[in-house]
Amino acid sequence: MSWWKDGVVYQIYPRSFQDSNGDGIGDLQGIIDRLDYLNDGTEKSLGIDAIWLSPIYPSPMYDFGYDISDYESIDSTFGDLKIFQKLLKEAHKRKIKIIMDLVVNHTSHLHPWFLDSRSSKKSGKRDWYIWKDPVDGKEPNNFLATFGGKAWTFDEKTGQYYYHSFLTEQPDLNWRNPEVKEAIFKMIQFWLDMGVDGFRLDVVNLYYKDAQWRDNPSRIFKGIRPFDRMVHIYDRDQPEMHELLRDLRTLVDKKKDRMTVGEVMMDPPGKVEIPASYYGNNDELHMAFNFAFLYSFWGASNFKKVVDEWEAALGEDNWPNYTLSNHDFRRHITRYHTRKLDMERAKLTALMLLTLRGTPFLYYGEEIGMESERVPKKDLQDPLGITYWPFHPGRDSERKPMCWDGGKNGGFTTGNPWLPLYSEYENRNVKKMQEDPGSLWSFYRDIIHFRKKSKALKDGSIVTGIDSSEKVFYFTRAKGKEKYHIVMNFSSEDTPFNLPEDWIPKKVILDNYEPGIQDRTIVESRDIHLKPCHALLIEG
Ligand code: NOJ
């Protein structure tokens, strides 16, 4: 089975993981120093199999690396190519794969390609970006930018507008120009040849816009951004993307064991058919993220629905993946916050994420229960938060420095951290939680290592169910003679649960109310009693 199917992926937001030089910003040497934390080959470490690195390329950082000014190098804040190669080598030594972020819907406005393109209408690179004449003295159409304002910026010098899906400082590439494709594919080859194992494709459904540049219809939607009051039928999900992805797949598959996973921008609550469509017939992306959990309210039936719909949408050939948190959304512990049961819920969701059929994507800090916390206006960094303050807190809240210990700056830096620390870092940090076998961290570690040894959990079938009170979501994973039942009480009350008739339970292996791997036989009765937000992994 390929590593990207049975492995656990851990997303690192490099600015916030570990600073090694005291400038208050995380860097690659910091990540190298923490590789043993992630996987040292023993059951003492977390045990993840792959790292997805948010962008580390040279960038003026208007969108913290999602605005790239050189695709074949490393930003000096993070290190250089030599240190990156060391990271690759050290990671591979520990059997950890490295997934890079590929941001090719747009570049930075300071990328030499764009500087050239905007220099003159006659520039050889003019058509590498999207330039249009004004229409009746105004923007060519009504498209809006995700981070606020129009998607068109007028360039005085050449008298035309250029298009940007995000900030003015992030001009969109023109994927209808074959030279763009050629240059980007060459760059991808550069990283593949260096030994990078995979790519996470930023906003993969935005590359192509309507060929006729028709206006998007408007609609009433209670999002605070005008962008959310538009039906995005002409600025995303255009049919041309599929052919491009088939070509990309051919390129990536030429090397052994490489992968792609695409971010598909969707309006909440998100139709799973859209990301599913980017798998093609297993000949486009290896995987596309399904963000349905990010939009789901707490509840057994809501969660079951996500799994059932995703499984149905993907069909037999395409491989699922799940994610609960990332650098763009409030962390799930915060989304599902409840006064008394935060940790139980965090453990329940960890058990679910790591035992569903598909690749689990973890977000740094979730293993210690870091919460999203509003960053005060004076400390705001994220352009989204700055534009929409105070209605949208921005994404700084979920990008705070990793909490390694209870000492100064949580062990993240000896300097001034670029974002304020998570306020609970003295209680929720790696060191403290590693010492406690009943902690959230230990629970993640226990599940990950148990999963490694289980064919059923990595590669087995899945059958889902819900009890009649719709409080308990359960599923069974099976392969050959191996079988596990995962039972999750989403209610905050004690809940009786009758084991389904066809289960022959042997023993409880994981229990979010008990530390460590269990060896508890269930024999007394088929009626079990679940505590509030209780989660069990039962051998069947
Ligand atoms: C999606 C990324 O996840 C987000 O962080 C970024 O701001 C936008 N794409 C623009 O690249």
Side-chain angles (χ1 to χ4, degrees):
M1 215 183 167
S2 318
W3 64 269
W4 55 269
K5 287 188 168 175
D6 66 15
V8 174
V9 185
Y10 185 95
Q11 181 191 355
I12 289 182
Y13 195 70
R15 292 182 80 81
S16 294
F17 198 59
Q18 177 68 66
D19 176 22
S20 74
N21 62 1
D23 66 357
I25 301 175
D27 47 46
L28 297 187
Q29 185 56 51
I31 299 175
I32 297 173
D33 296 343
R34 294 293 184 182
L35 285 175
D36 279 341
Y37 162 77
L38 296 171
N39 192 345
D40 68 359
T42 76
E43 297 204 356
K44 282 195 193 125
S45 62
L46 193 58
I48 58 96
D49 304 283
I51 296 171
W52 151 28
L53 289 172
S54 281
I56 50 174
Y57 316 87
S59 161
M61 302 286 169
Y62 284 83
D63 190 17
F64 296 103
Y66 284 95
D67 49 326
I68 298 170
S69 53
D70 179 355
Y71 283 116
E72 297 188 9
S73 186
I74 304 293
D75 194 276
S76 56
T77 322
F78 300 123
D80 55 27
L81 267 179
K82 252 183 139 176
I83 301 183
F84 177 73
Q85 280 164 327
K86 185 169 153 213
L87 169 62
L88 258 185
K89 204 168 132 211
E90 290 296 320
H92 287 165
K93 240 203 244 166
R94 293 165 177 81
K95 300 202 168 61
I96 300 175
K97 306 282 185 183
I98 297 286
I99 301 170
M100 299 275 277
D101 219 309
L102 201 65
V103 189
V104 294
N105 172 69
H106 45 270
T107 68
S108 158
H109 67 313
L110 299 182
H111 194 293
W113 296 344
F114 188 69
L115 293 177
D116 191 339
S117 180
R118 92 184 294 178
S119 67
S120 145
K121 274 177 153 174
K122 294 206 185 81
S123 152
K125 296 264 183 323
R126 185 67 171 180
D127 190 46
W128 281 40
Y129 292 84
I130 300 163
W131 291 97
K132 293 263 173 261
D133 286 328
V135 175
D136 301 328
K138 288 206 201 114
E139 292 79 14
N141 75 1
N142 72 350
F143 289 4
L144 296 174
T146 316
F147 293 159
K150 301 261 164 62
W152 298 98
T153 289
F154 188 67
D155 185 58
E156 295 286 344
K157 188 172 170 207
T158 53
Q160 284 190 312
Y161 284 94
Y162 68 87
Y163 183 79
H164 49 91
S165 302
F166 297 91
L167 298 172
T168 314
E169 293 82 5
Q170 292 167 295
D172 281 35
L173 284 162
N174 176 16
W175 276 92
R176 294 184 187 278
N177 182 334
E179 287 172 17
V180 168
K181 177 177 167 193
E182 202 184 307
I184 298 289
F185 276 33
K186 216 172 119 222
M187 173 271 281
I188 293 173
Q189 192 66 52
F190 168 83
W191 292 108
L192 287 171
D193 291 344
M194 196 178 289
V196 162
D197 303 285
F199 300 99
R200 174 260 185 194
L201 278 71
D202 192 62
V203 293
V204 74
N205 58 332
L206 262 58
Y207 296 9
Y208 287 91
K209 300 43 160 163
D210 179 41
Q212 299 168 53
W213 293 97
R214 281 168 284 190
D215 280 346
N216 274 330
S218 51
R219 62 156 174 199
I220 301 167
F221 173 62
K222 55 180 177 324
I224 51 144
R225 299 176 300 180
F227 180 81
D228 297 322
R229 294 193 283 267
M230 184 162 258
V231 195
H232 295 279
I233 52 173
Y234 292 129
D235 55 355
R236 57 172 79 151
D237 298 313
Q238 300 302 300
E240 292 87 342
M241 193 60 206
H242 298 283
E243 193 186 329
L244 175 66
L245 286 179
R246 282 191 289 275
D247 291 348
L248 177 70
R249 177 70 174 252
T250 307
L251 177 79
V252 173
D253 280 355
K254 273 194 193 132
K255 292 261 186 189
K256 210 176 142 237
D257 248 8
R258 313 297 168 98
M259 63 81 89
T260 53
V261 55
E263 179 206 28
V264 177
M265 252 180 94
M266 286 188 301
D267 293 333
K271 286 202 186 88
V272 287
E273 289 73 18
I274 303 176
S277 74
Y278 290 99
Y279 283 75
N281 295 314
N282 193 15
D283 59 353
E284 296 184 27
L285 291 172
H286 295 80
M287 293 189 288
F289 286 118
N290 164 18
F291 288 160
F293 274 139
L294 299 166
Y295 299 129
S296 297
F297 292 109
W298 185 255
S301 53
N302 297 339
F303 275 50
K304 177 175 185 291
K305 189 165 165 254
V306 170
V307 178
D308 290 348
E309 290 184 353
W310 190 220
E311 283 277 341
L314 290 177
E316 290 278 297
D317 291 340
N318 296 324
W319 186 250
N321 67 87
Y322 291 94
T323 184
L324 286 165
S325 289
N326 68 29
H327 64 295
D328 289 330
F329 290 85
R330 274 190 309 148
R331 288 175 176 271
H332 63 275
I333 195 164
T334 307
R335 296 201 309 275
Y336 302 134
H337 171 73
T338 159
R339 219 154 44 87
K340 285 196 191 128
L341 293 163
D342 262 12
M343 277 300 161
E344 286 72 17
R345 284 191 175 187
K347 287 180 180 172
L348 180 155
T349 45
L351 182 64
M352 181 195 73
L353 182 68
L354 290 158
T355 56
L356 279 170
R357 194 181 82 93
T359 308
F361 281 79
L362 308 184
Y363 183 49
Y364 84 95
E366 74 173 69
E367 72 275 30
I368 51 168
M370 275 174 71
E371 297 165 283
S372 285
E373 271 178 340
R374 226 179 158 96
V375 168
K377 190 171 179 216
K378 66 172 179 42
D379 295 322
L380 277 184
Q381 304 281 341
D382 178 28
L384 191 62
I386 292 168
T387 306
Y388 289 107
W389 182 267
F391 304 107
H392 191 305
R395 300 163 295 177
D396 296 324
S397 347
E398 30 279 348
R399 299 175 178 178
K400 290 190 161 190
M402 180 69 175
C403 309
W404 295 102
D405 56 46
K408 190 169 174 243
N409 295 328
F412 165 69
T413 180
T414 52
N416 290 323
W418 78 288
L419 278 175
L421 247 75
Y422 166 47
S423 63
E424 284 294 310
Y425 77 93
E426 286 176 1
N427 294 318
R428 295 190 189 175
N429 63 60
V430 169
K431 186 161 181 285
K432 191 164 177 186
M433 288 195 165
Q434 281 180 328
E435 285 160 6
D436 173 5
S439 71
L440 179 62
W441 187 90
S442 300
F443 197 63
Y444 268 90
R445 192 264 324 264
D446 291 343
I447 310 168
I448 293 173
H449 287 282
F450 187 77
R451 176 194 155 93
K452 269 190 210 303
K453 291 174 253 165
S454 162
K455 283 215 169 74
L457 292 181
K458 288 188 294 193
D459 192 22
S461 58
I462 185 166
V463 178
T464 63
I466 191 159
D467 73 326
S468 57
S469 69
E470 301 210 342
K471 289 179 179 165
V472 185
F473 167 35
Y474 55 87
F475 56 87
T476 298
R477 302 291 316 277
K479 189 165 178 89
K481 287 200 181 116
E482 212 193 351
K483 197 180 252 186
Y484 295 106
H485 308 292
I486 291 86
V487 179
M488 296 159 291
N489 176 20
F490 277 71
S491 128
S492 303
E493 286 148 26
D494 290 297
T495 307
F497 179 65
N498 300 327
L499 298 179
E501 271 175 22
D502 56 338
W503 291 12
I504 310 167
K506 289 195 191 122
K507 56 185 179 183
V508 171
I509 306 244
L510 285 158
D511 178 336
N512 66 341
Y513 273 81
E514 301 291 337
I517 298 287
Q518 311 293 300
D519 193 7
R520 229 164 60 217
T521 315
I522 312 181
V523 272
E524 321 89 60
S525 110
R526 301 189 65 85
D527 297 332
I528 60 170
H529 166 90
L530 296 172
K531 296 179 191 130
C533 296
H534 204 167
L536 298 171
L537 183 136
I538 301 170
E539 189 180 343

